[in-house]
């Protein structure tokens, strides 16, 4: 019997798959031994951004979208782009599910526009308000020739290529399986012109999509065409360099990465080869400190460094069914930093550059999380900082232990001095920390534990911890 897509579940059940992927992403970020893969998965989720809770159909199929990103994160870009295009999540988020022949400039162009502007060539290669194809410069790669930039008509024509690419949702004669579906009756079979190069300056190119080419061939060829474009390679390699190396990466590194990208457009491990080129480059080795961690990255780094144990939700706490939902409380709290996992509103994805995140809200909310995440009302993570600190160490020794544990480099003397003085509380820094005899400690041994915990949290707030 054919599968059917149920629509009678309540909201909490329909979004449960999305919530479970959020939890799984956190667990992988904390405990996976393949952290580079997790970085690349996050990068591509951000590149092909979809807000998971924008539609219950997106939330319900979020594990499938996550699987697509994970499968291709170090694979071939064209293969990933094709699977993303056909996914339920992207179909509903950018409305290609309703893209059919007729209706203005080729149906619904939302996805086609983001295909050019965000997913491939990028807005830097957009000739706005320009319609003279015959005068657009040509770029070549081997025997291939491309229009050097895209115009609005390329968007309209690509949208026509993708008419009839939809989801089997039980409407208009489609089955109700929830899978990708080709609706030939919706497809625009007239000739189309997408990124076609002018044969000679001043002469308009002929259509490069013939009459009656069919929904499948048109729909597969258009994304492949933009994926293979040399300026798509440069745009995406620049974004990878910005993610992995610096907000303003050296042009020499972008050039080498682009060369590898183009040479391996048909390789199943294209992205892996590019990432390897970037990370093993001299530029990458000499640019430490030119990136800062975004809020989720800082929180995950703190939890990894402190060997935190993630919580398990429970049905109730002291009879209260709302108190055991630790993960939802955590997500709400962390979302306030502005770094909302799978929750960025627009197709652009979260900003990459430091200036966006170096603001009062993002920083103070994240700093607060270093404390609240171990509270039952803030996440209920189990973090035993004191238990991991070797017994008998002096204030200096404790600070040095945690500096080595949490930083990837030797910190400045100013930071060490600040942390040592904080922990010593006016006492001898070469002795183990002691409680103050007066307020607020009143000689309590528990106060020493609080001081050590607070010192590590203070270290996590330092610029040195946030640099990478």
């Amino acid at each position: 019997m054919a599968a059917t897509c149920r629509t009678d579940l309540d909201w909490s059940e329909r979004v449960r798959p999305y919530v479970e992927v959020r939890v799984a992403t956190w667990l992988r970020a904390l405990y996976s031994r393949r952290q580079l893969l997790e970085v690349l998965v996050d990068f591509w989720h951000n590149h092909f951004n979809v807000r998971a809770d924008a539609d219950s159909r997106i939330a319900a199929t979020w594990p499938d979208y996550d699987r697509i990103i994970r499968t291709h994160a170090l694979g071939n870009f064209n293969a990933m782009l094709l699977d993303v295009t056909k996914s339920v999540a992207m179909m509903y988020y950018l409305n290609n599910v309703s893209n059919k022949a007729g209706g203005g400039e080729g149906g619904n162009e939302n996805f086609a526009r983001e295909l050019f502007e965000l997913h491939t060539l990028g807005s830097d290669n957009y000739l706005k308000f320009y319609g003279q194809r015959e005068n657009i410069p040509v770029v070549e790669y081997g025997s291939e020739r491309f229009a050097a930039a895209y115009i609005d008509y390329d968007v309209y024509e690509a949208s026509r290529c993708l008419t009839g690419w939809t989801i089997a949702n039980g409407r208009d004669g489609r089955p109700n399986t929830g899978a990708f579906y080709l609706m030939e009756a919706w497809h625009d079979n007239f000739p189309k012109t997408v990124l076609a190069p002018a044969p000679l300056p001043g002469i308009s190119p002929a259509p490069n999509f013939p009459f009656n080419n069919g929904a499948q061939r048109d729909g597969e060829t258009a994304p492949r065409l933009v994926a293979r474009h040399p300026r798509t390679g440069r745009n995406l390699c620049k974004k990878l360099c910005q993610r992995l190396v610096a907000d303003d990466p050296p042009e020499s590194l972008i050039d080498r990465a682009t060369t590898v990208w183009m040479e391996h457009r048909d390789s199943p491990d294209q992205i892996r080869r590019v990432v390897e080129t970037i990370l093993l480059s001299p530029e990458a080795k000499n640019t430490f400190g030119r990136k800062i961690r975004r809020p989720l990255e800082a929180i995950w780094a703190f939890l990894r460094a402190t060997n935190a144990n993630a919580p398990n939700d429970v049905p109730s706490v002291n009879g209260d069914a709302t108190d055991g939902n630790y993960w939802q409380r955590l997500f709400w709290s962390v979302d306030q930093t502005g770094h909302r996992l799978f929750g960025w509103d627009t197709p652009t994805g979260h900003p990459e550059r430091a200036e966006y995140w170096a603001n009062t809200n993002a920083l103070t909310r994240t700093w607060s999380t270093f404390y609240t995440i171990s509270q039952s009302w803030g996440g209920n993570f189990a973090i035993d900082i004191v238990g991991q600190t070797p017994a008998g160490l002096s204030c200096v020794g404790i600070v040095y232990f945690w500096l080595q544990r949490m930083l990837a480099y030797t910190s400045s003397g100013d930071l060490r001095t600040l942390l040592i003085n904080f922990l010593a509380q006016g006492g001898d820094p070469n002795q183990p920390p002691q409680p103050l005899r007066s307020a607020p400690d009143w000689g309590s041994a528990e106060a020493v534990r609080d001081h050590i915990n607070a010192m590590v949290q203070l270290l996590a707030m330092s610029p040195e911890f946030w640099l990478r």
Side-chain angles (χ1 to χ4, degrees), residues 113 117 123-131 149-152:
R113 183 163 297 281
E117 184 174 329
S123 58
D124 288 346
N125 292 301
Y126 172 40
L127 300 179
K128 191 174 184 180
F129 303 132
Y130 193 81
Y150 74 95
I151 60 178
D152 285 324

Side-chain angles (χ1 to χ4, degrees), residues 175-367:
N176 190 28
T177 64
F180 170 72
Y181 190 75
L182 284 172
M183 191 78 166
E184 287 287 351
W186 284 10
H187 186 62
D188 183 337
N189 271 305
F190 286 90
K192 308 166 190 73
T193 306
V194 180
L195 290 177
L200 292 171
I203 299 178
S204 296
N208 51 351
F209 288 76
F211 179 74
N212 268 348
N213 201 34
Q216 181 168 342
R217 285 189 297 274
D218 276 358
E220 290 179 352
T221 303
R224 177 177 172 80
L225 184 62
V226 291
R228 294 179 67 80
H229 198 289
R231 293 192 175 174
T232 290
R234 185 168 185 84
N235 179 44
L236 296 189
C237 286
K238 181 178 180 180
K239 289 190 69 173
L240 281 165
C241 290
Q242 287 177 321
R243 181 71 182 89
L244 297 172
V245 177
D247 285 351
D248 297 300
E251 291 294 320
S252 59
L253 179 57
I254 300 173
D255 291 341
R256 285 205 307 282
T258 303
T259 297
V260 175
W261 177 282
M262 295 299 294
E263 288 175 350
H264 293 281
R265 287 180 302 172
D266 297 317
S267 300
D269 60 346
Q270 174 196 22
I271 298 170
R272 183 193 67 79
R273 291 173 181 267
V274 173
V275 170
E276 184 176 62
T277 298
I278 294 170
L279 293 180
L280 296 182
S281 68
E283 292 93 336
K285 296 176 183 178
N286 296 322
T287 52
F288 182 83
R290 291 175 61 182
K291 294 288 292 181
I292 68 166
R293 287 169 166 151
R294 296 176 298 177
L296 270 174
E297 296 164 23
I299 293 167
W300 289 338
F302 173 76
L303 294 174
R304 286 194 299 266
T306 56
N307 284 331
N309 289 316
N312 289 314
D313 284 352
V314 294
S316 65
V317 176
N318 297 325
D320 189 337
T322 64
D323 279 355
N325 199 346
Y326 301 124
W327 282 101
Q328 283 298 93
R329 291 184 174 193
L330 172 66
F331 293 151
W332 182 89
S333 176
V334 173
D335 282 353
Q336 306 312 302
T337 67
H339 199 177
R340 302 184 293 275
L341 183 64
F342 310 139
W344 190 259
D345 289 321
T346 61
T348 56
H350 291 89
E352 182 64 52
R353 298 183 65 87
E355 53 260 32
Y356 181 86
W357 299 104
N359 63 70
T360 303
N361 180 75
L363 292 173
T364 56
R365 292 278 190 175
T366 307
W367 294 342

Side-chain angles (χ1 to χ4, degrees), residues 12 45 168 249 265 443 455:
S12 63
H45 260 298
R265 287 180 302 172
M455 184 276 294

